[in-house]
Structure formats: C-alpha cells, structure tokens
Amino acid sequence: MNKQIISLVKNTKVPKPTLLIEKKLHDKIIYLCSKISTVEWSGVLFYEMKGQFGKELTLVAKDLLLLDINNKTYTEYENDTTDIPAYMCENGLTECFQGHIHSHNTMKTFFSGTDLDTLRDEGSKRPMFLSLIVANDNQYTACITIKGIAQVVEKVIFKGFDGELTHLK
C-alpha cells in the first residue's frame, strides 16, 4: 500500500468508528491475559462491520482464535492455516471479517513500528483490516485501515464490564 494513502482521521471531521466488543470475546481476552501474562500472544480477531466509513461505522468484535504464544516482546503467526476456516465454520463466524489481536502483556498498548508494518501489509491485501492490542491491565488500543482511504487510531482504557456490549470510542 502506498504510505501516502494512509492518514490519521483523529483530527478530521470524519466520524470516528465505534468498536464494540462482545462479552464472550471480552471474557476470552481476560482469561488469556490472566493465563498468559508474562509473554505476548496473538491470533485472528473476528469482527462484523455495520455501516460505512465516513458516515457511521460500527465494528463488532465477536471472537478470536489464538495462534501463537511467543516471548515478552514479540508474537507472530501465519494466517494461511486451515484452522481458521474450520474455526469460523464451527463457531458461526463465516460472515465475519478477519483482523488481528495480540497482547502487550505488562506493557502499555500502542502501535509499535512492527504493529504499523502489520497494518500496512495486511491492510494492503484487503478492503479493511482491524487490529486490536490488549494488555493485562484491561487497556485496549485499536486501529483500522481502510484501503485507499485512511487509518484510524483510538486508545481506550476498558474499566469493567456489565454483561452488555461495551462501547470503545
């Protein structure tokens, strides 16, 4: 993807997308962060899109498939495994988009140079790509690339969960 095509929407008049994380996914994230708390883990993030970028866009994060547990500062996986379509079929996710989720364990959540490279690489292969970084302290940072349009970066600190969909803006 041409790097000039990617721009931050943070200070424009374009409405910011809303990210909703379903309770099932949130519970899974909390579980993984508690059980794999000293190293980074990663996998495929499954999400739905409602609306349209530039107007009102809502992304609903539904589930994840854990594919790698690595070391304190790095995680990586190949997403060409047959496990992904099988998982999608078995869990009713065949209508979902595939994004990326990984942990920063004890670090703060941010998009490192490696994370931004992943956004560019994966974002150039598909119309839209969502990446979510989580940390053990319930901090979440999400970024979406939309091919040929923009990249949106938002930082969210998640403080509790009441069983309903949680808005992260």
Side-chain angles (χ1 to χ4, degrees), residues 18 28 45 83 87 99 112 114 116 136 154 158-159:
T18 299
K28 193 180 257 189
L45 176 67
D83 293 344
Y87 187 84
S112 68
T114 302
L116 291 173
N136 294 346
E154 279 302 309
F158 192 89
K159 299 206 182 216

Side-chain angles (χ1 to χ4, degrees), residues 143-161:
C143 186
I144 182 173
T145 60
I146 299 182
K147 194 170 185 178
I149 299 176
Q151 175 188 68
V152 179
V153 178
E154 279 302 309
K155 184 171 185 174
V156 177
I157 297 176
F158 192 89
K159 299 206 182 216
F161 202 86

Side-chain angles (χ1 to χ4, degrees), residues 14-29:
V14 175
K16 294 178 183 176
T18 299
L19 174 61
L20 304 175
I21 296 179
E22 289 191 341
K23 183 175 181 352
K24 174 185 166 186
L25 174 59
H26 178 258
D27 291 346
K28 193 180 257 189
I29 291 168

